[in-house]
Amino acid sequence: MHADEVDIDEGLVERLVAAQFPQWAGLPVRAVRSAGTDHAMYRLGEDMTVRLPRVPDAAGQVGTEQRWLPHLAPHLPLDVPVPLGHGAPGEGYAFAWSVYRWLDGENLHDRPLAERGLHDAAAALGRFLAALHRVDTTGAPRSFRGGRVDTADDEVRAAIRDLGADGTLDAGAAASAWEAAVRAPQWRGAPVWLHGDLLPGNLLGHRGRLTSVIDFGLVGVGDPACDMMAAWTLLTADTREVFREAVGVDDATWARGRGWALRFGLTAEHHYRGLNPALAAVGHRAAAEAVADHHRP
């Protein structure tokens, strides 16, 4: 998917673990299937997972997760990754990497929740974000998605033009929804903690309920609107209000959040439809839900 993507396989992971964490040498290593674009995941034994950046742009996320996940975790009502080891470059691999405790469950893209479970997940995810927004931000980094939604205006408009031209979407309806998001009042409050990438693939369900939030590579502080995009990447019209009530945001933040869902959805489908069908499908769904919600009477 990337010109600068490095080769990672089970043999490399075995060598890295043996060289840097000899206490875990010899444990079986198995690739974990994922539609993610920036990292490779491998299960280590039964109780751990190894996460390795695939591209240089993602390499800095390792230190961010290692530093801030232990700070955030005690305040959060859902499970998040627990760092167990901080790996260094070696064995021909150029980046830092992580070992985490294994979290049981399947991501909600591969195994969507039933309607009852989705209703409960909407409330649980809203409470999770409300708790995240209350955590002390002293020294926190800025989130990649913590600023204005319209910083990708050119990309969004190009996606609307191209996807509209081939019949993938109603360009006029999408443009109207985007204009409304861009016009929404901007965030004037203090920056709060954000996850930054609340897609179905970064949420785990177990026995029909939401249990874990993973992939904190974009964690940081800023406008809480970007995390509202879960309302359109994951939820339905019937469960969206449950989420909103639980997280407790104003109309402007909700409108900007719809804009983030539209921005992600349009640009993801535009870029990944020939490279990563799973992520393109998530993008298509997010954009379609955001446009429909904007135009709903």
Side-chain angles (χ1 to χ4, degrees), residues 4 14 26 80 89 92 149 162 202 206 212 217 220 227 232 239 254 261 271 281 290:
D4 55 355
E14 290 172 352
V80 299
V149 69
D162 294 347
N202 293 333
H206 187 58
S212 308
D227 278 346
W232 298 274
T239 56
W254 191 249
H271 180 74

Side-chain angles (χ1 to χ4, degrees), residues 209-267:
R209 64 185 184 90
L210 174 66
T211 55
S212 308
V213 180
I214 62 173
D215 191 348
F216 281 72
L218 299 184
V219 73
V221 299
D223 176 2
C226 78
D227 278 346
M228 299 307 104
M229 70 178 182
W232 298 274
T233 60
L234 173 71
L235 301 176
T236 62
D238 291 336
T239 56
R240 223 165 265 144
E241 286 302 318
V242 175
F243 170 75
R244 183 176 179 180
E245 182 177 353
V247 71
V249 295
D250 59 25
D251 290 345
T253 301
W254 191 249
R256 294 193 308 277
R258 188 189 296 113
W260 274 105
L262 188 57
R263 168 179 163 166
F264 163 78
L266 291 169
T267 57

